Amino acid sequence: MTQDPVSDLITREQTRQREKIGLIPSENNTSPEVSSVLSSCLSNKYSEGYPGRRYYEGNQIIDEIEVLAQDRIKKLFGVPYVNVQPYSGSPANLAIYMALMQPGDILMGLKLVAGGHLTHGHPKVTASGSFYQSVQYGVGEDAKVDFEALQVLAKKHRPKVIVVGNTAYPFLMEFDKFRKIADAVGAWLVADISHVTGLVISGDHPSPVSDADVIMSTTHKTFRGPRGAMIMVTNRGLERDADLGKKIDSAIIPGLQGGPHNATTAAIAMAAAEASRPEFKKYGHQIRKNANALTQALQVAGLKLVGDGTQTHLMVIDLTPFGPGLGLQVAYALDVAGIYANRNTVPNEPFSPFYPSGLRVGTPLVTTRGMKEAEMEQIGVWIGRVVELVRDKQLPKVTQARQQFVKEFRAWADEHRQLQKIKQEVKALTSGFPLFRW
Ligand code: DSN
């Protein structure tokens, strides 16, 4: 029997992941145990509803699995309520908004260019920015949340919900300051900790549990579980509305979703057990050490970072000193050289999210592979060399000329000898690091 091309494609992707260095801060590798749960028979079962009240028969074991996942998450974070069914972060955030707001109510979140997420009210093109009136807050000159401006905005607009969360914000989220502002205007405080959940567990980032009403996290980033999400309600949230958990449950199903992905639920339970191990704390601490080491190496290589550094697992390299709109070229050339990251906007972005002027890098995945400070130093050197090679490849100011420019740039990079040389060096390094190591 001939082999299905899908198997070959998976093998090729496995090789790509093994040979390259992954610096996308939202990506991570799961343990073999979590991976094997994901491919189990659990995905064959329909189980719309919740444990003990399903719309389908045959869910005796699925019920036990979901309760186990809930109990482990509640214990891990110290929260009284959790829903582990959201398919991912975007529907989870929408479910929270459905539970807390009516269409047309005012939502406040961090601007995308300042490091916020699309689902935090990015105007016009997103559900959160269309169904609700979105008022966005930003950052100051130091790239940190401008709390004075945020307070003025909140008092003026009196939002129903304030979201504190990020995807490209390198600093700690100061939940207590957000709480004070939310209290002053009677808003719900929602913390989206998707990026930093693992750091919250390891004690390397403050926990939002005593300040937020509702907490959302995806489960595949620093938490190192399957692709999915969870919504937690804190004691504070339940004190304000004893039915809040039920409202979240209803917003997930029947509000937004159908049957939960049961293999994912079991993998969340497995990942929660892994996150309770002492080794997980070491992993969280090492993510931070690696982020500091990479920051230093990038700065030694002459690169500027948004906010001049990091307090978390990620950094945004500000490429505007070399001219605006260099993100795509740097990200593409790095990938050719065996290092993949993602282009990203910078605060006061002179171009656009598609042709941005920054590069986002982070250390969760390389930490999972067992890399430490010495490897971060080497990675910083490689990134510096790649930026040096492409810094004069400036994006045309004329919009119509850009597609052709990108095509020619890619052809140039694909053949570049220096990039190929770095790729071989990267391959030699990654051969010493498995995809997952405790
Ligand atoms: N797409 C994720 C990230 O890369 O940060 C957030 O949803």
Side-chain angles (χ1 to χ4, degrees):
M1 214 169 79
T2 54
Q3 184 161 286
D4 191 288
V6 171
S7 310
D8 179 49
L9 289 167
I10 292 172
T11 306
R12 282 169 53 202
E13 172 61 9
Q14 209 169 30
T15 305
R16 187 198 70 80
Q17 291 189 14
R18 214 178 36 237
E19 291 183 350
K20 289 191 173 186
I21 290 173
L23 292 181
I24 295 174
S26 47
E27 291 186 3
N28 214 329
N29 295 340
T30 49
S31 69
E33 290 76 17
V34 168
S35 298
S36 83
V37 170
L38 280 173
S39 59
S40 69
C41 65
L42 299 175
S43 66
N44 299 338
K45 188 74 195 91
Y46 249 120
S47 52
E48 284 177 23
Y50 289 97
R53 46 197 175 95
R54 306 280 185 187
Y55 290 88
Y56 295 76
E57 295 311 315
N59 277 303
Q60 300 84 348
I61 293 159
I62 298 297
D63 276 4
E64 284 189 46
I65 289 170
E66 190 164 338
V67 170
L68 185 64
Q70 290 170 344
D71 287 348
R72 285 182 177 175
I73 296 295
K74 284 190 219 166
K75 191 163 167 225
L76 194 57
F77 291 89
V79 291
Y81 162 91
V82 64
N83 185 311
V84 291
Q85 292 195 8
Y87 296 151
S88 201
S90 300
N93 278 338
L94 202 51
I96 295 170
Y97 303 152
M98 274 183 79
L100 297 177
M101 290 191 282
Q102 294 300 316
D105 281 348
I106 296 176
L107 166 69
M108 282 184 75
L110 182 63
K111 289 178 188 166
L112 190 70
V113 287
H117 191 254
L118 285 167
T119 59
H120 298 169
H122 188 65
K124 295 185 187 143
V125 291
T126 67
S128 62
S130 310
F131 302 152
Y132 306 101
Q133 278 187 66
S134 173
V135 176
Q136 299 233 282
Y137 57 90
V139 293
E141 283 299 308
D142 58 359
K144 291 185 175 165
V145 169
D146 183 343
F147 283 99
E148 264 180 45
L150 168 58
Q151 185 159 9
V152 171
L153 268 185
K155 285 196 168 151
K156 181 171 169 206
H157 295 281
R158 305 202 76 82
K160 196 80 179 279
V161 168
I162 298 177
V163 190
V164 43
N166 52 49
T167 54
Y169 181 76
F171 301 110
L172 300 180
M173 287 181 269
E174 298 175 89
F175 301 117
D176 50 343
K177 291 189 183 171
F178 280 94
R179 180 75 254 168
K180 282 200 185 98
I181 294 175
D183 281 345
V185 298
W188 292 100
L189 183 63
V190 174
D192 178 346
I193 60 167
S194 297
H195 264 263
V196 296
T197 308
L199 299 182
V200 169
I201 294 167
S202 67
D204 291 277
H205 189 288
S207 164
V209 169
S210 58
D211 290 309
D213 298 297
V214 182
I215 301 166
M216 197 290 287
S217 177
T218 48
T219 46
H220 47 274
K221 297 188 175 85
T222 48
F223 184 62
R224 217 162 56 176
R227 288 197 96 84
M230 51 197 174
I231 300 172
M232 297 172 256
V233 179
T234 63
N235 283 315
R236 186 188 269 274
L238 286 183
E239 272 161 30
R240 183 163 165 186
D241 181 351
D243 287 333
L244 192 48
K246 284 187 206 138
K247 288 180 184 169
I248 300 268
D249 285 349
S250 303
I252 288 291
I253 173 167
L256 283 166
Q257 297 189 173
H261 295 173
N262 298 310
T264 300
T265 306
I268 289 174
M270 186 74 93
E274 291 180 357
S276 312
R277 290 168 60 168
E279 299 95 311
F280 192 90
K281 282 203 163 55
K282 280 197 196 155
Y283 146 79
H285 302 335
Q286 192 62 46
I287 288 178
R288 280 287 306 123
K289 287 187 203 165
N290 283 351
N292 287 343
L294 185 54
T295 292
Q296 211 183 344
L298 292 169
Q299 288 172 334
V300 167
L303 298 173
K304 184 180 166 200
L305 300 182
V306 169
D308 287 329
T310 182
Q311 294 176 313
T312 64
H313 61 303
L314 69 82
M315 292 73 84
V316 179
I317 302 173
D318 180 354
L319 298 162
T320 53
F322 307 112
L326 206 59
L328 185 146
Q329 298 88 303
V330 172
Y332 187 85
L334 270 174
D335 191 35
V336 173
I339 299 172
Y340 57 102
N342 67 277
R343 63 191 195 271
N344 211 94
T345 48
V346 294
N348 305 316
E349 174 58 53
F351 271 125
S352 68
F354 199 77
Y355 294 111
S357 306
L359 184 86
R360 187 180 68 151
V361 295
T363 55
L365 198 157
V366 287
T367 305
T368 289
R369 297 188 71 172
M371 295 187 194
K372 295 215 163 73
E373 287 91 327
E375 287 76 35
M376 298 307 113
E377 214 174 295
Q378 177 58 67
I379 292 170
V381 170
W382 282 323
I383 294 175
R385 275 166 59 191
V386 172
V387 173
E388 194 60 38
L389 285 173
V390 305
R391 56 186 284 183
D392 61 337
K393 301 281 178 194
Q394 298 285 326
L395 193 72
K397 293 219 162 47
V398 184
T399 318
Q400 290 85 337
R402 287 183 188 163
Q403 270 189 6
Q404 182 60 24
F405 165 83
V406 169
K407 204 171 147 202
E408 286 167 15
F409 172 79
R410 286 184 173 152
W412 171 85
D414 286 342
E415 298 301 323
H416 202 288
R417 270 193 26 247
Q418 288 297 322
L419 296 177
Q420 292 302 328
K421 184 165 177 288
I422 297 173
K423 184 180 173 186
Q424 291 315 314
E425 292 167 12
V426 167
K427 201 170 154 187
L429 179 87
T430 53
S431 66
F433 293 90
L435 285 173
F436 185 96
R437 180 184 276 172
W438 270 113

